[in-house]
Amino acid sequence: MTDIPPTALPDDVAEHVARLGAKQLNLYNRLAHAPDLLRAWVAFAWALRGHDKTERRLRELMILRTAMIHQQPYEWHQHRRMAREAGASEFEVAELEMWRSSSAFGEADRAALAFTDAIVAGDVPAEITAELSRHFDDCQRVELTVTAAFYAMVPRVLNALGVPIEDADAPGAD
């Protein structure tokens, strides 16, 4: 694991993050070594959060599932709070590991979680796509696809850069 030291965010990015009501995360302070990539990352990640054709609760559960599969504590830590704020129940989060057999999830949730697992595995079989299509229209499928694919990439970046979890004692930390 390469531990990239933190560096200050460019002023424009720091101002943008503040306007979004976000914190200057350890991830951002590592990506700041490549300011143009950081700008693109922030813009893309926040665009994903703003999609409203699919339920944010479900997208956050998908993100937590990617964190679980990759055993990525930073991603889990960040999105656990977001999932709660988006309406995911403690029971749903606790049952994510056994989503296939859990009563916490309906058919549409299961289709999205199967799709997430397949994207992380790198192969989405036709039957999984067909099941997803039963529950979601084309726009929703694009949102779910991009969410799962982006957040399947995030743990790899976090691991490669050695990004530590923010101070658990800091205000607002989960």
Side-chain angles (χ1 to χ4, degrees), residues 114-125:
F115 187 66
T116 301
D117 284 8
I119 285 177
V120 171
D123 179 35
V124 182

Side-chain angles (χ1 to χ4, degrees), residues 67-147:
M68 181 178 286
I69 293 168
H70 288 283
Q71 299 178 8
Q72 180 32 259
Y74 183 97
E75 186 176 33
W76 181 270
H77 174 78
Q78 291 298 329
H79 285 275
R80 176 63 198 96
R81 177 185 44 81
M82 291 181 215
R84 186 173 44 247
E85 290 170 357
S89 71
E90 294 294 328
F91 183 59
E92 289 171 322
V93 172
E95 295 287 299
L96 264 177
E97 190 163 358
M98 53 200 144
W99 65 264
R100 288 174 185 83
S101 60
S102 174
S103 63
F105 306 104
E107 287 184 19
D109 292 342
R110 288 182 208 282
L113 291 169
F115 187 66
T116 301
D117 284 8
I119 285 177
V120 171
D123 179 35
V124 182
E127 60 271 10
I128 289 179
T129 299
E131 182 62 17
L132 194 73
S133 297
R134 284 187 349 99
H135 303 282
F136 302 98
D137 66 26
D138 290 346
C139 179
Q140 292 171 315
R141 287 178 45 216
V142 169
E143 286 184 6
L144 296 175
T145 299
V146 175
T147 297

